Amino acid sequence: MLPEPERQKPETTTTARRLSRLAEQSMRCAPACCGAVATISDSGPERRITATHPDLAPLAAVQLACGDGPIPSALDVGEAVDTEDLLTEDRWPGYRALALDSGVRSAVTLPFRRPGIEVTVSLFSYRPGSLKDIVRGPVGILAEETTTGLVRDRRYHAALAEVEQLEAALRSRPVIDQASGIVMHVLGCEADAAFAVLRTISQRTNRKLAEVADAVVRAKGRGLESELSAMARPAH
């Protein structure tokens, strides 16, 4: 059976929307800011990026690619990293060169951590020393609230997924019970042994237990005697 086309998960859409809003609102909170970039890492090593301007996204991408720049530094130290004037900055040569080429002279990156989630918001300015007072201002509060909201969203979607799994298990239970009855009849075994056979087939064929049960029910056990018997024997 071919896999269904991959669909975008609701939590992915929600996260992207929150991250984009964080970048846009952060930029509005700082009059001297010419643009903002927000990033998040919440599952796996990949960090997602959103920017208020296309030219700013590469500034985050180059830092994440080489592991060197204000974003990695802020995450390492757990506090804001401020660059008052990139023209005189001697750190992060790759990022610095790209930022100056984009016209950026100063920047500040704020990190925010919760269990399983890391968020950063970076603000940029064309003027040196113009962002030094925003660390404890509205941007910090906004990013804290956004990070908390992302944690809440994650828990909500995890709860929804668990409910869906339970509902799927309840829907599949009747067909599994029916298939177990057929296996019991074919092999002359008890219910526990019949269920173990179905589970073994599921594991060895890398198919869901409900799919295996449905196939057994559809065939009514006919033509499956030898296969079921083989699965009933312990693997060596």
Side-chain angles (χ1 to χ4, degrees):
M1 181 183 295
L2 293 176
E4 295 183 8
E6 190 172 335
R7 298 184 181 91
Q8 190 174 25
K9 295 181 179 180
E11 59 266 35
T12 302
T13 304
T14 303
T15 298
R17 189 161 51 241
R18 280 191 181 273
L19 207 62
S20 178
R21 188 162 59 241
L22 171 60
E24 292 169 2
Q25 292 179 345
S26 295
M27 183 181 69
R28 296 193 191 106
C29 287
C33 178
C34 66
V37 170
T39 76
I40 185 172
S41 174
D42 57 355
S43 56
E46 186 176 351
R47 181 172 289 273
R48 282 173 282 176
I49 302 170
T50 186
T52 57
H53 194 283
D55 289 346
L56 295 177
L59 295 183
V62 70
Q63 297 178 62
L64 302 180
C66 66
D68 190 34
I71 293 176
S73 296
L75 289 171
D76 285 342
V77 300
E79 58 186 37
V81 172
D82 184 15
T83 307
E84 292 194 14
D85 192 351
L86 282 163
L87 200 60
T88 59
E89 179 64 66
D90 57 3
R91 297 171 293 178
W92 324 306
Y95 159 76
R96 174 180 175 271
L98 185 60
L100 288 172
D101 191 54
S102 301
V104 172
R105 285 290 299 274
S106 62
V108 61
T109 295
L110 289 75
F112 302 88
R113 273 198 178 97
R114 296 291 187 280
I117 290 181
E118 289 182 341
V119 173
T120 69
V121 57
S122 301
L123 276 68
F124 304 90
S125 176
Y126 295 132
R127 292 183 291 144
S130 57
L131 298 173
K132 59 182 179 181
D133 296 326
I134 71 162
V135 175
R136 291 183 176 84
V139 175
I141 297 171
L142 177 64
E144 286 279 7
E145 292 178 350
T146 299
T147 306
T148 300
L150 288 166
V151 172
R152 189 166 54 245
D153 290 343
R154 188 179 188 183
R155 289 173 180 167
Y156 171 72
H157 288 296
L160 281 184
E162 186 175 353
V163 169
E164 289 175 359
Q165 289 172 1
L166 289 172
E167 289 177 345
L170 289 173
R171 287 194 300 269
S172 63
R173 192 70 220 184
V175 73
I176 292 173
D177 289 342
Q178 192 176 354
S180 294
I182 292 173
V183 175
M184 289 169 64
H185 176 74
V186 171
L187 299 181
C189 63
E190 297 297 327
D192 289 347
F195 181 79
V197 168
L198 294 175
R199 187 172 56 191
T200 299
I201 295 174
S202 170
Q203 292 169 346
R204 293 185 184 179
T205 60
N206 198 27
R207 295 157 63 197
K208 292 181 180 179
L209 183 60
E211 293 177 1
V212 172
D214 185 64
V216 171
V217 170
R218 287 177 182 274
K220 294 183 172 59
R222 290 191 292 269
L224 299 175
E225 292 85 351
S226 60
E227 182 180 359
L228 293 174
S229 298
M231 291 295 177
R233 291 194 295 269
H236 297 292

